[in-house]
């Protein structure tokens, strides 16, 4: 994963190698409609005003949308993901260690 900054503001993230993503879909009234599960060879995210503006899945992405009433938390769990909050950088200096 590569992150690109301008003036200490995140602009772009590029991920390569079996990228997996899960995100929730909302309607115009902000009500949850479903979960979108996608796997791809790479992912490029563009940030604008500290929010995701665009996400592009590259090289034959495979995905499916599951209606919110049918979402099973185990089914949308990212394969092999291990949340390691203790490794989260707390400063820019931490990124250089």
């Amino acid at each position: 994963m590569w992150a690109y900054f301008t003036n200490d503001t995140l602009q772009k993230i590029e991920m390569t190698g079996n990228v997996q993503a899960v995100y929730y879909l909302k309607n115009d009234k902000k009500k949850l409609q479903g979960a979108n599960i996608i796997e791809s060879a790479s992912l490029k995210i563009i940030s604008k005003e500290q929010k995701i503006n665009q996400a592009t899945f590259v090289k034959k992405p495979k995905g499916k949308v599951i209606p919110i009433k049918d979402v099973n938390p185990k089914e949308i769990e990212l394969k092999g993901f291990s949340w390691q909050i203790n490794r989260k950088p707390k400063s820019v200096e931490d990124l250089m260690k």
Side-chain angles (χ1 to χ4, degrees):
M1 177 168 49
W2 295 94
Y4 300 87
F5 295 83
T6 302
N7 299 325
D8 295 330
T9 302
L10 181 63
Q11 298 295 314
K12 177 173 68 171
I13 301 172
E14 293 179 350
M15 293 172 255
T16 59
N18 192 32
V19 176
Q20 301 171 23
V22 175
Y23 59 93
Y24 291 93
L25 306 171
K26 294 180 180 179
N27 65 14
D28 293 338
K29 296 178 183 175
K30 306 291 184 199
K31 183 178 177 187
L32 286 174
Q33 296 295 297
N36 191 355
I37 304 166
I38 300 177
E39 289 188 30
S40 181
S42 63
L43 169 61
K44 180 178 174 182
I45 297 174
I46 304 294
S47 176
K48 188 174 184 180
E49 297 175 8
Q50 299 183 340
K51 294 184 179 180
I52 293 175
N53 184 52
Q54 179 181 354
T56 305
F57 295 88
V58 183
K59 296 185 182 175
K60 299 181 182 178
K62 295 178 186 175
K64 66 179 175 178
V65 175
I66 302 170
I68 199 67
K69 65 180 177 61
D70 298 331
V71 170
N72 174 346
K74 285 291 182 193
E75 185 179 351
I76 63 172
E77 211 171 79
L78 298 174
K79 299 176 198 109
F81 180 76
S82 172
W83 185 256
Q84 298 177 18
I85 193 67
N86 59 324
R87 296 184 66 194
K88 178 182 176 181
K90 295 175 179 61
S91 67
V92 173
E93 291 77 23
D94 285 350
L95 293 172
M96 304 305 163
K97 292 181 181 178

